[in-house]
């Protein structure tokens, strides 16, 4: 078993854009990797971003350069700049209420942040996003954001994510110290097995993750990509974006065939085996 720790934050476009690669690793190695999500808590207050010169327009324009990675965006300036701490607390709250659900909560917040006007520090808006998740108690998650247990767990996450000094991530220039200690940038993936730890700091291509996993345990079983996307939608029941499907169907180091993946997905929709939900400038594909 390989331990996999993802340091991330729902507000980071780099972390959002790495979703196709992370889905590929999850598909290839399944439950042979034991995943942990550590939230970074990029900002405690919106003023921190304002002091750095961030504006709603700058945020919207910044999304444009991430379109090349294929995830859905809807780059409209938001009502104001927002901090990330409340959203991170929601992820931690979900983890404490129902271990494992934090991944679904985190993804829902990412998708909403980059394709809707949501403000990640508005509790009611967070609640509305999470209400769309079957099996997730949005009211309970939001009600506990200020609980001591959630606060302590959140602060542990923040502290852990700020232990990047002297790491391989720092050597690669993939760390930051915006609020004191050197922290991992989102996304950073730490992998460990039998006392050996490896770090893929910041955004990395899927080949980097795969090489680290393979070196940690060459005896792992590695599932090949499917020839048809139906099995992917069954496996990832909360839905996949077009780029995620294209990445998951890619063989070796070939470039993802986004057009081919979208054509196959449309065929599934036409056959009644899948449904397409518009999302930003793309779509979320779900099992029928």
């Amino acid at each position: 078993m390989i331990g996999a720790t993802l340091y991330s934050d729902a507000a980071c476009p780099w972390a959002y854009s790495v979703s196709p690669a992370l889905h590929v690793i999850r598909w290839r190695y399944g439950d042979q990797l034991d995943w942990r999500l550590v939230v970074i808590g990029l900002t405690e207050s919106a003023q921190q971003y304002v002091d750095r010169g961030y504006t709603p327009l700058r945020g919207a324009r910044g999304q444009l350069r991430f379109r090349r990675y294929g995830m859905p965006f809807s780059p409209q300036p938001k009502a104001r700049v927002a901090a990330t701490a409340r959203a991170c607390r929601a992820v931690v709250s979900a983890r404490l209420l129902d271990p494992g659900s934090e991944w679904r909560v985190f993804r829902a917040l990412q998708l909403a942040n980059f394709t809707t006007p949501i403000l990640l520090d508005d509790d009611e808006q967070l609640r509305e996003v999470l209400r769309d998740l079957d099996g997730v108690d949005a009211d309970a998650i939001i009600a506990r954001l200020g609980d001591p247990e959630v606060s302590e767990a959140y602060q542990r996450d923040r502290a852990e994510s700020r232990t990047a000094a002297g790491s391989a991530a720092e050597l690669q220039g993939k760390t930051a110290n915006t609020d004191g200690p050197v922290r991992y940038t989102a996304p950073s993936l730490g992998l460990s097995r039998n006392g050996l730890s490896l770090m893929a700091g910041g955004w990395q291509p899927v080949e980097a993750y795969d090489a680290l996993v393979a070196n940690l345990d060459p005896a792992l079983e590695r599932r090949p990509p499917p020839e048809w996307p139906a099995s992917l939608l069954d496996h990832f029941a909360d839905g996949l974006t077009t780029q995620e499907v294209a990445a998951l169907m890619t063989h070796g180091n070939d470039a993802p065939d986004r057009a081919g993946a979208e054509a196959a997905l449309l065929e599934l929709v036409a056959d009644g085996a899948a449904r397409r939900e518009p999302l930003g400038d793309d779509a979320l594909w779900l099992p029928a």
Side-chain angles (χ1 to χ4, degrees), residues 4-101:
T5 299
L6 179 65
Y7 299 92
S8 200
D9 193 295
C12 179
W14 288 107
Y16 180 59
S17 297
V18 86
S19 294
L22 293 179
H23 275 80
V24 170
I25 295 302
R26 287 182 177 276
W27 171 264
R28 285 179 181 172
Y29 298 107
D31 59 10
Q32 298 171 103
L33 270 61
D34 183 19
W35 288 88
R36 227 173 35 103
L37 175 59
V38 176
V39 292
I40 294 173
L42 291 172
T43 48
E44 295 298 303
S45 72
Q47 190 62 41
Q48 290 174 267
Y49 279 138
V50 173
D51 291 344
R52 298 174 199 165
Y54 283 78
T55 66
L57 176 58
R58 177 179 170 181
R61 283 177 170 169
Q63 292 182 16
L64 300 179
R65 68 189 182 106
F66 288 93
R67 278 181 164 165
R68 68 186 188 274
Y69 297 114
M71 289 295 286
F73 284 95
S74 182
Q76 178 175 337
K78 298 194 178 190
R80 59 174 174 80
V81 175
T84 75
R86 300 300 281 181
C88 289
R89 284 175 175 267
V91 173
V92 172
S93 178
R95 180 206 301 157
L96 293 174
L97 284 166
D98 181 16
S101 68

Side-chain angles (χ1 to χ4, degrees), residues 3-288:
T5 299
L6 179 65
Y7 299 92
S8 200
D9 193 295
C12 179
W14 288 107
Y16 180 59
S17 297
V18 86
S19 294
L22 293 179
H23 275 80
V24 170
I25 295 302
R26 287 182 177 276
W27 171 264
R28 285 179 181 172
Y29 298 107
D31 59 10
Q32 298 171 103
L33 270 61
D34 183 19
W35 288 88
R36 227 173 35 103
L37 175 59
V38 176
V39 292
I40 294 173
L42 291 172
T43 48
E44 295 298 303
S45 72
Q47 190 62 41
Q48 290 174 267
Y49 279 138
V50 173
D51 291 344
R52 298 174 199 165
Y54 283 78
T55 66
L57 176 58
R58 177 179 170 181
R61 283 177 170 169
Q63 292 182 16
L64 300 179
R65 68 189 182 106
F66 288 93
R67 278 181 164 165
R68 68 186 188 274
Y69 297 114
M71 289 295 286
F73 284 95
S74 182
Q76 178 175 337
K78 298 194 178 190
R80 59 174 174 80
V81 175
T84 75
R86 300 300 281 181
C88 289
R89 284 175 175 267
V91 173
V92 172
S93 178
R95 180 206 301 157
L96 293 174
L97 284 166
D98 181 16
S101 68
E102 68 269 21
W103 292 97
R104 299 180 64 216
V105 166
F106 181 73
R107 178 169 171 82
L109 293 176
Q110 281 186 304
L111 293 174
N113 183 55
F114 292 105
T115 63
T116 78
I118 186 179
L119 299 171
L120 289 178
D121 56 4
D122 185 302
D123 290 0
E124 289 309 309
Q125 293 185 36
L126 296 176
R127 189 195 313 272
E128 288 304 309
V129 171
L130 301 185
R131 276 182 176 153
D132 291 336
L133 289 179
D134 291 338
V136 169
D137 191 337
D139 291 331
I141 289 171
I142 301 304
R144 289 168 50 95
L145 294 188
D147 282 6
E149 184 183 15
V150 172
S151 294
E152 290 171 9
Y154 169 59
Q155 292 302 333
R156 285 195 298 271
D157 275 28
R158 290 189 79 249
E160 181 179 342
S161 69
R162 286 159 174 77
T163 58
S167 67
E170 187 175 34
L171 176 63
Q172 286 191 297
K174 301 279 191 175
T175 59
N177 58 350
T178 51
D179 52 14
V182 179
R183 64 166 174 81
Y184 293 111
T185 53
S188 288
L189 180 61
L191 299 166
S192 62
R193 179 176 180 267
N194 293 342
L196 176 61
S197 296
L198 302 175
M199 174 59 65
W203 189 94
Q204 299 278 356
V206 66
E207 292 84 3
Y209 299 141
D210 196 63
L212 294 185
V213 170
N215 275 276
L216 279 172
D217 189 355
L220 291 178
E221 294 184 8
R222 191 172 185 270
R223 177 161 46 183
E227 298 300 326
W228 196 242
S231 58
L232 295 174
L233 300 186
D234 289 337
H235 186 78
F236 298 102
D238 281 335
L240 294 167
T241 66
T242 306
Q243 189 67 24
E244 288 168 342
V245 173
L248 284 158
M249 295 180 69
T250 299
H251 289 264
N253 292 328
D254 293 347
D257 181 3
R258 183 183 173 104
E262 189 167 22
L265 288 162
L266 287 173
E267 188 170 339
L268 288 178
V269 172
D271 291 341
R275 54 193 173 93
R276 180 187 188 276
E277 290 187 0
L279 185 67
D281 54 6
D282 184 33
L284 191 67
W285 306 86
L286 298 131

